[in-house]
Amino acid sequence: MMMILPPSLTVWPGELIEKLERILQDNEASLIAARAEREERDFTQTLRREQDAAILNSLKADQEKERERIKEELKIEIPEKPAVDDPDVIRIVLKLPHGSRNEKIFLKNQSLKFLYDFAFCHEDCPDDFHVVTNFPRRTLPCEPSKNGPDPPSFEEAGLGKNEMLFVQDNEA
């Protein structure tokens, strides 16, 4: 079905092109301003993303430096290996979340704080963790607090001569 327009609504192609060119000229300044504003907004967003990424990378580097500094301090505090034939030794095998195992010998009267420090100093240890027993499953109170007393000793925690303990990643 074909529509026929009344003569008053009929526009010749030349007139239409002329009207469109006039409309473009009338609005050209607005279009240029809108494009410039969009380009500036895009540039600002890109710059902000790049700055955020740089700040995040810097923060991660600072956190890693701090962790390494703490590790060095803690390594110094971990007691030396006692004599294997000492009747008060406790052999701990510590299994980390990624499957690696570390063995350390402590004295039963030493604080569990040293177990925590030993685990923390391992490169595969997560930043936020607990040390747990397998059976019966329980979390050992070994994380030291800045203002509180030291955690209990291995003996006070009820650990035997040979123990397999697990590092549990709190963020996993």
Side-chain angles (χ1 to χ4, degrees):
M1 180 160 123
M2 185 171 181
M3 276 185 70
I4 299 177
L5 295 174
S8 62
L9 294 179
T10 305
V11 179
W12 294 102
E15 285 180 59
L16 180 60
I17 290 172
E18 196 176 292
K19 285 183 179 184
L20 290 174
E21 286 175 348
R22 200 170 336 115
I23 291 171
L24 279 174
Q25 286 174 356
D26 291 347
N27 293 302
E28 186 173 9
S30 298
L31 289 171
I32 291 171
R35 284 185 193 120
E37 185 179 311
R38 183 178 57 224
E39 287 173 2
E40 183 179 345
R41 187 174 53 246
D42 290 348
F43 174 76
T44 302
Q45 287 175 344
T46 302
L47 182 61
R48 184 171 290 137
R49 277 193 302 271
E50 290 171 358
Q51 288 173 337
D52 289 347
I55 289 170
L56 184 61
N57 288 338
S58 176
L59 178 62
K60 284 181 180 179
D62 289 347
Q63 288 171 336
E64 186 57 34
K65 285 179 189 174
E66 179 64 11
R67 180 174 166 85
E68 288 303 316
R69 184 190 65 75
I70 291 170
K71 273 184 174 181
E72 292 303 313
E73 289 177 7
L74 294 178
K75 281 180 183 177
I76 294 169
E77 291 183 24
I78 297 172
E80 292 294 318
K81 179 179 176 181
V84 180
D85 59 349
D86 188 322
D88 292 334
V89 296
I90 292 180
R91 182 179 154 266
I92 302 291
V93 176
L94 192 62
K95 188 170 181 187
L96 293 153
H98 299 294
S100 62
R101 294 174 183 226
N102 290 322
E103 186 175 325
K104 177 80 173 143
I105 296 176
F106 296 95
L107 291 172
K108 65 182 180 182
N109 63 352
Q110 290 174 328
S111 171
L112 287 174
K113 162 190 172 330
F114 299 119
L115 174 63
Y116 184 87
D117 295 348
F118 175 69
F120 183 82
C121 290
H122 193 278
E123 64 187 39
D124 291 336
C125 187
D127 289 339
D128 185 15
F129 68 95
H130 282 91
V131 178
V132 297
T133 61
N134 192 29
F135 186 80
R137 186 163 182 85
R138 63 186 172 110
T139 300
L140 295 176
C142 59
E143 184 173 1
S145 64
K146 292 178 183 169
N147 300 327
D150 274 350
S153 69
F154 289 87
E155 186 174 42
E156 292 168 337
L159 297 175
K161 298 279 289 167
N162 292 300
E163 293 284 346
M164 169 77 83
L165 302 174
F166 300 86
V167 171
Q168 176 183 319
D169 187 348
N170 292 335
E171 295 177 359

